[in-house]
Amino acid sequence: MSNVQNLLLESLLGTKHVDNAAIIRIHERTILVSSPGFNNNTGLVVVQTNLYLLVATYREDMYASVCVEAVEKLGGGSRGSMLAVHFDQPGGPENLYLKEVAKPEPGPGEVLVKVAASALNRADVLQRQGQYNPPTGASDILGLEASGHVAKVGPGCQGPWKPGHPVMALLAGGGQAEYVTVPEGHLMPVPTGLTLIQAAAIPEAWLTAFQLLHLIGQVKAGETVLVHAGSSGVGTAAVQLVRHAGAIPLVTAGSLDKIKIAEKLGAAAGFNYKETDFSEAVLEFTKGAGANLILDCVGGSYWEKNVACLAQDGRWVLYGLLGGAEVHGQLLSKLLAKRGSLLTSLLRSRDEKYKAELVAAFTQRILPHFAQDGPGALRPVVDSVYPLRQVAEAHVYMEQNRNLGKIVLEVAQ
């Protein structure tokens, strides 16, 4: 049998029918087929889709598991469409599903990437909930990072990218789909020795951590850096980058397992925020000096403890509000007494030029260390891998805060 026939056979085994219509699933595509004469005497059903011309027999209230004929359709609309994660209205994970949408075409200076994998980020959860809209002009499809292969190079591109090159991409949206267009300056080569699953866990998390530490926080060798959510994607990247910079990473996390992961990556100590006052623990570890730099994705509920354990002239970098945005109390006077700096940053809303410069700096200074073995080598931490069709389950898992590292969605190739 041909591959097409095998594909049809497999799909027919899972086929259901409703009245005079048949539902056929092929490569996760659901095709609703209106079929007049469905119950005719011939028992023959001809289905023409964007994928194939299918001819199958029907008997005894079910499709036969034998394919009469399967002929690949010449041309067809499938060239201009793709599957993408979609939700019709903001809400819970149950609103997510795969939808056939228009396949993008690369514009001037852009590259079309056939996506192999896309990692999940908190921003995806917030966008699904209606709390974080994509920047103006960005795709409304979820997905801020992806890996895959170059499919097509747009006009005017001057970079090294050629069709077939394995790449990973920083995105403002659109990664959780079969294809995505990317400004050529936002692409990076996949480091030698890493899989495309691992590569998908790098762009958003590692570029965020690199930006927070070096561009915003100005980390220096010998400093103490407190990283909140130390077992998250950004957290596991930050711990390694702090060590790489010659500084001392401390982390907070919600379980002993998460602390152990961070310590294995290089954290000097970890504190369970559910059981310990992390500000007291940081001051004890530093013998009263405090943390020179704090990377904070929590916000409101942590402000008082952050200031309490901030060193004199320390920098507190805020990049998320998981603990709320409201502040009650004498924040300004306490921060002023420490001569502390409160810095804020977001990456998704940055302009294309800034991101291209960030990607270039990261590619030059950090990316080569992913291809090394032994001490000093950097590695993305992948917690779990879900097929794209199980995107809702992946969101549930993230919302339960169970992941140790990145959650990756694998796109069928």
Side-chain angles (χ1 to χ4, degrees):
M1 273 190 183
S2 70
N3 290 334
V4 175
Q5 288 175 311
N6 286 329
L7 176 64
L8 178 57
L9 278 175
E10 182 180 347
S11 65
L12 286 177
L13 291 176
T15 293
K16 299 178 181 179
H17 72 274
V18 181
D19 296 328
N20 284 343
I23 301 174
I24 295 181
R25 295 180 61 81
I26 297 178
H27 284 328
E28 304 308 324
R29 299 173 191 263
T30 300
I31 304 165
L32 182 63
V33 182
S34 177
S35 48
F38 184 77
N39 293 315
N40 63 22
N41 294 329
T42 65
L44 193 66
V45 180
V46 178
V47 177
Q48 186 170 344
T49 76
N50 285 339
L51 296 174
Y52 300 102
L53 176 67
L54 312 179
V55 183
T57 58
Y58 172 83
R59 67 171 185 271
E60 297 177 0
D61 295 328
M62 63 177 290
Y63 273 103
S65 60
V66 178
C67 169
V68 175
E69 184 180 359
V71 181
E72 187 172 359
K73 183 183 176 185
L74 298 177
S78 62
R79 293 180 180 179
S81 63
M82 66 174 185
L83 288 180
V85 172
H86 186 79
F87 58 95
D88 293 316
Q89 59 185 10
E94 68 278 1
N95 288 351
L96 296 168
Y97 66 98
L98 296 186
K99 180 179 180 179
E100 193 157 354
V101 300
K103 176 181 167 183
E105 278 292 315
E110 291 185 333
V111 172
L112 179 68
V113 174
K114 181 173 175 54
V115 178
S118 177
L120 193 61
N121 288 276
R122 287 284 174 183
D124 298 314
V125 173
L126 293 173
Q127 183 175 330
R128 186 207 75 219
Q129 294 171 342
Q131 301 179 40
Y132 191 13
N133 293 327
T136 302
S139 170
D140 59 2
I141 296 170
L142 302 179
L144 304 185
E145 54 193 338
S147 66
H149 293 92
V150 172
K152 187 177 180 180
V153 178
C157 286
Q158 300 179 357
W161 316 114
K162 304 294 182 185
H165 279 181
V167 292
M168 51 190 188
L170 176 68
L171 307 168
Q176 293 172 21
E178 291 181 307
Y179 291 88
V180 65
T181 53
V182 187
E184 64 170 337
H186 299 180
L187 287 174
M188 295 174 282
V190 174
T192 302
L194 294 192
T195 66
L196 289 174
I197 294 292
Q198 291 173 306
I202 292 177
E204 175 69 15
W206 282 79
L207 285 165
T208 293
F210 177 75
Q211 177 202 217
L212 298 176
L213 286 168
H214 291 280
L215 277 65
I216 310 298
Q218 298 293 312
V219 65
K220 300 176 183 65
E223 290 188 322
T224 299
V225 181
L226 176 61
V227 179
H228 289 309
S231 68
S232 66
V234 173
T236 54
V239 167
Q240 296 179 70
L241 289 175
V242 170
R243 278 295 184 194
H244 186 266
I248 303 165
L250 306 177
V251 301
T252 63
S255 72
L256 181 59
D257 287 342
K258 292 183 176 183
I259 290 172
K260 286 181 177 179
I261 285 287
E263 290 178 339
K264 187 176 180 180
L265 294 171
F271 315 115
N272 187 338
Y273 64 83
K274 295 179 181 179
E275 301 175 354
T276 304
D277 184 328
F278 69 79
S279 64
E280 293 180 359
V282 169
L283 290 171
E284 181 179 354
F285 181 91
T286 59
K287 298 180 181 179
N292 305 103
L293 178 60
I294 299 175
L295 303 189
D296 180 21
C297 58
V298 179
S301 62
Y302 272 13
W303 82 262
E304 200 158 14
K305 292 178 181 178
N306 280 334
V307 175
C309 67
L310 188 68
Q312 289 292 123
D313 301 305
R315 292 94 67 205
W316 167 20
V317 180
L318 180 68
Y319 69 101
L321 296 171
L322 295 176
E326 293 188 2
V327 172
H328 302 284
Q330 298 179 349
L331 167 60
L332 295 180
S333 62
K334 291 184 177 182
L335 190 62
L336 184 62
K338 290 286 185 79
R339 299 192 303 270
S341 299
L342 174 57
L343 307 165
T344 66
S345 183
L346 291 173
L347 179 55
R348 188 183 191 184
S349 58
R350 298 278 189 175
D351 62 36
E352 186 174 319
K353 181 176 182 291
Y354 178 95
K355 290 180 180 178
E357 291 173 349
L358 178 65
V359 167
F362 182 84
T363 300
Q364 181 181 8
R365 295 170 57 182
I366 304 298
L367 207 58
H369 298 281
F370 284 95
Q372 296 179 353
D373 292 323
L378 303 175
R379 285 291 181 271
V381 179
V382 176
D383 173 274
S384 50
V385 181
Y386 288 81
L388 191 63
R389 68 178 181 277
Q390 292 181 9
V391 60
E393 289 91 329
H395 274 239
V396 170
Y397 184 64
M398 173 166 275
E399 290 182 328
Q400 292 171 342
N401 294 318
R402 293 165 54 193
N403 55 298
L404 307 176
K406 297 287 286 187
I407 300 168
V408 176
L409 298 168
E410 186 173 19
V411 180
Q413 294 294 293

